[in-house]
Amino acid sequence: MGSRIGLTNSSAQINIDFLAGISIFLISFLLVVQLVPNLFIPFQGQPVTLHSVGYRTSVILCEDPGWYNLSNATVNISGYNWEDYPNNVSRLGLAKNKSTENLSTPQMLSGSKLFNLTGIYNSSDPGSYSNIQEHLGLTTSYRKYDYNISLVRFDGIPSSYMNGTPFFQIGYSPQSNIDVEKVERIVSFEMYDLPHDYNKTNFSRLNPAIDVVNLPISAYRICIESVNFSGSPSNISINLTNHSGTTYQLMNTTTYLPTDMPVILDLSDELNKYDDLSHKVTITIDYSNIIWYCYSSHAGDLVGDKLAAKLIIQVW
Amino acid sequence: MKLIHSTNAQMNTIEGLAAALLMIFAILFVSKSAAITMPQSGEFLNSQLQLYGHDALIMLDQEDYNSSSQLKKYVAGWDGIEAEPFNPVSPSLEGFDQSLRKIMPDNVLYNVDLVYAYDGCVIEKPVIYHGIPPDNSIRVFQLVTLYDEYSNISSDFKIHENNTIPDTDHSGSLLYNIVQVRCTLWYA
């Protein structure tokens, strides 16, 4: 009598065709399951949309001066100078209006528009975040895009007032676990349009002139404009003293001829070499018979006669 | 032994095997070719690079207090010396190179060429050379127009005596030449 479960029983075994068929099917099914999600990776829509939204926002901010529209029973006016009518903004833009024509200068931004945008954002109105969102075209019929916009120097430090407080950072901070599109635009401002220090020669003041500078600084310029009395020699020398009292000579006594002027000395890179834990140095400028000015700013870097910085736009 | 010596249904197995292999290879083929033609994914990576170059040239071309544009001043003041690996920056354009270096992030490298037309030919002169650009580098350009009369207007802004950009037109017109400032950028 053969065992019911014994090895000698040759009936009711799985057919080898079935075995081969089912294993081939399972292997190919697994392969397909693995392949199918990867098939569509190149066609995923989300980053593409975010990129175009980020780029569009950067263009609106950097290449357009914006628009306001004030219409009620008595007046109906509109124009590019929305910074004068912050309650009637229809489109935000930071590009500077040209004074003569109503044409904007791309990438040349206006300081007053920048500070008015910060003003709108920091106002007591609880809806200011979403108002700006709407004026930047970030509210669409199917979703809202969150934003963070800031002005940053080329060394990565936020553009600041002379006391070191950043002056343009609006929007929420993005969470770390979501896709964020970041667009950086290089923008410029007129030299005197952003927070700065400007001191011109004052002959009633003490000579040498002494200036305490916070480091790292992004713009520090000494410009020798002209001689005071022609005929007498015109000299300048610049010394630097650090926190521990060591004095370094930045420029030994140099004579400039009236034909050389204006002489522009950009010292920001030179000064930043002396940055230490105190982040402070003292500059001593000894001069005779010259008219000069000293310009410094923590807002951006001087490129030519313009202050340049990066506008960083993040959307998600 | 019925299991092995049975002659039924043998072809079905081989057909099934062949069909499965065909299907797998077809799917593999489709998925591989789809991965190659990713639409514009490279463009998105490089659009920030293009913005850096474009914004930098536009900013340098903006009007200044003392000259009509920095970029124009540099092109007019070029001393005709070409850049090469042992002389990466033409001496008269040190300021231009310093401005670009300040503006660009540390991981971006760039070359600058001046391109102009003369006597029916297009002439390219490298003026800033920081290496051989890779295949995925980006090119941007800005056109600068030079006029004859600059030499009379201000000493700060005149065409350098060794500048090899020629006066392209007949003596009657004010036009001197049109120069394309071409910047090639790539990630280091």
Side-chain angles (χ1 to χ4, degrees):
Chain A
M1 182 178 120
S3 157
R4 280 182 71 188
I5 320 167
L7 294 171
T8 50
N9 192 341
S10 63
S11 65
Q13 299 292 312
I14 297 172
N15 189 307
I16 200 160
D17 284 353
F18 173 72
L19 201 64
I22 197 80
S23 42
I24 288 170
F25 171 75
L26 280 178
I27 290 169
S28 45
F29 182 74
L30 279 175
L31 268 174
V32 170
V33 165
Q34 271 195 325
L35 274 175
V36 164
N38 296 338
L39 265 180
F40 298 103
I41 281 180
F43 305 104
Q44 275 173 355
Q46 186 64 1
V48 178
T49 338
L50 260 189
H51 176 84
S52 61
V53 170
Y55 177 70
R56 185 182 68 201
T57 312
S58 82
V59 171
I60 288 174
L61 283 171
C62 301
E63 300 178 21
D64 185 80
W67 191 256
Y68 79 93
N69 195 346
L70 171 58
S71 61
N72 55 33
T74 50
V75 287
N76 185 4
I77 47 173
S78 57
Y80 296 105
N81 51 328
W82 60 263
E83 65 272 29
D84 302 329
Y85 302 88
N87 296 323
N88 303 91
V89 177
S90 48
R91 195 175 72 234
L92 282 168
L94 298 175
K96 194 177 178 63
N97 315 329
K98 271 195 175 170
S99 47
T100 46
E101 307 154 67
N102 277 336
L103 290 169
S104 68
T105 318
Q107 260 99 278
M108 169 75 89
L109 304 194
S110 145
S112 61
K113 284 181 200 272
L114 196 79
F115 284 106
N116 266 286
L117 180 54
T118 319
I120 294 175
Y121 182 75
N122 290 332
S123 70
S124 51
D125 178 8
S128 61
Y129 179 86
S130 46
N131 279 342
I132 294 174
Q133 203 173 29
E134 199 169 308
H135 297 320
L136 285 175
L138 291 172
T139 309
T140 60
S141 54
Y142 56 96
R143 69 166 283 191
K144 286 182 178 179
Y145 295 94
D146 287 306
Y147 61 87
N148 182 301
I149 304 163
S150 56
L151 192 71
V152 175
R153 287 153 40 170
F154 293 121
D155 58 6
I157 298 170
S159 298
S160 327
Y161 292 105
M162 292 312 285
N163 65 10
T165 319
F167 60 76
F168 187 70
Q169 283 177 327
I170 63 168
Y172 301 147
S173 303
Q175 293 157 2
S176 54
N177 56 350
I178 48 170
D179 273 344
V180 176
E181 180 65 34
K182 182 177 171 187
V183 179
E184 294 185 7
R185 299 298 301 260
I186 296 162
V187 295
S188 62
F189 293 85
E190 280 183 4
M191 211 167 138
Y192 303 106
D193 213 11
L194 288 183
H196 65 276
D197 261 0
Y198 175 85
N199 288 303
K200 203 173 163 101
T201 355
N202 182 344
F203 290 100
S204 63
R205 259 205 332 230
L206 287 175
N207 185 4
I210 291 168
D211 191 12
V212 178
V213 183
N214 291 324
L215 298 181
I217 194 158
S218 56
Y220 195 90
R221 167 178 287 183
I222 289 174
C223 177
I224 304 158
E225 292 184 302
S226 56
V227 296
N228 196 25
F229 300 108
S230 57
S232 322
S234 339
N235 299 317
I236 184 166
S237 71
I238 305 170
N239 286 323
L240 174 148
T241 310
N242 70 5
H243 183 62
S244 52
T246 322
T247 300
Y248 301 90
Q249 191 169 56
L250 284 190
M251 199 171 90
N252 53 13
T253 309
T254 313
T255 306
Y256 288 107
L257 299 171
T259 47
D260 299 334
M261 293 174 192
V263 177
I264 289 173
L265 306 166
D266 275 323
L267 297 176
S268 55
D269 292 341
E270 190 68 29
L271 296 188
N272 287 335
K273 287 179 193 161
Y274 297 92
D275 193 10
D276 56 17
L277 284 175
S278 70
H279 300 302
K280 246 186 188 78
V281 289
T282 307
I283 314 274
T284 312
I285 301 153
D286 208 341
Y287 61 94
S288 62
N289 193 33
I290 51 168
I291 293 173
W292 58 281
Y293 71 81
C294 174
Y295 171 95
S296 59
S297 175
H298 285 287
D301 297 50
L302 278 173
V303 176
D305 283 343
K306 297 178 293 283
L307 267 186
K310 280 192 291 194
L311 193 71
I312 298 183
I313 295 116
Q314 296 183 86
V315 291
W316 65 91
Chain B
M1 293 291 285
K2 193 186 168 203
L3 270 176
I4 294 163
H5 295 289
S6 161
T7 51
N8 291 339
Q10 292 300 314
M11 274 310 280
N12 284 344
T13 311
I14 295 166
E15 275 168 3
L17 195 71
L21 283 174
L22 262 177
M23 281 168 66
I24 291 168
F25 281 121
I27 290 166
L28 274 175
F29 180 74
V30 169
S31 71
K32 285 277 186 288
S33 55
I36 290 167
T37 56
M38 278 195 275
Q40 297 171 328
S41 64
E43 304 271 315
F44 291 135
L45 290 175
N46 280 333
S47 67
Q48 180 63 61
L49 197 57
Q50 189 163 6
L51 281 178
Y52 282 138
H54 203 244
D55 286 359
L57 288 183
I58 284 186
M59 199 193 68
L60 288 169
D61 201 25
Q62 280 166 3
E63 288 175 13
D64 241 346
Y65 290 125
N66 56 8
S67 68
S68 67
S69 99
Q70 289 269 313
L71 197 61
K72 205 173 257 192
K73 200 166 96 180
Y74 288 130
V75 173
W78 178 48
D79 57 9
I81 296 174
E82 291 178 38
E84 45 172 0
F86 299 108
N87 178 28
V89 183
S90 178
S92 55
L93 299 177
E94 294 278 358
F96 185 25
D97 185 49
Q98 275 169 17
S99 298
L100 284 177
R101 173 100 329 270
K102 198 183 250 187
I103 293 168
M104 298 295 170
D106 292 339
N107 63 339
V108 172
L109 290 178
Y110 53 87
N111 286 348
V112 178
D113 306 304
L114 300 183
V115 184
Y116 51 88
Y118 183 64
D119 206 12
C121 314
V122 174
I123 301 162
E124 292 182 21
K125 298 277 186 185
V127 291
I128 296 176
Y129 180 86
H130 289 305
I132 300 164
D135 290 344
N136 58 350
S137 53
I138 282 282
R139 252 182 186 173
V140 293
F141 67 86
Q142 183 82 3
L143 289 175
V144 168
T145 313
L146 298 177
Y147 294 98
D148 292 340
E149 63 186 19
Y150 285 141
S151 47
N152 313 329
I153 289 178
S154 96
S155 59
D156 186 40
F157 194 66
K158 68 178 177 193
I159 293 162
H160 194 281
E161 54 187 341
N162 294 335
N163 199 324
T164 55
I165 302 171
D167 192 348
T168 190
D169 65 329
H170 314 293
S171 52
S173 96
L174 280 177
L175 180 73
Y176 186 81
N177 210 329
I178 296 174
V179 183
Q180 189 189 60
V181 181
R182 194 173 64 188
C183 191
T184 312
L185 302 116
W186 67 95
Y187 286 113

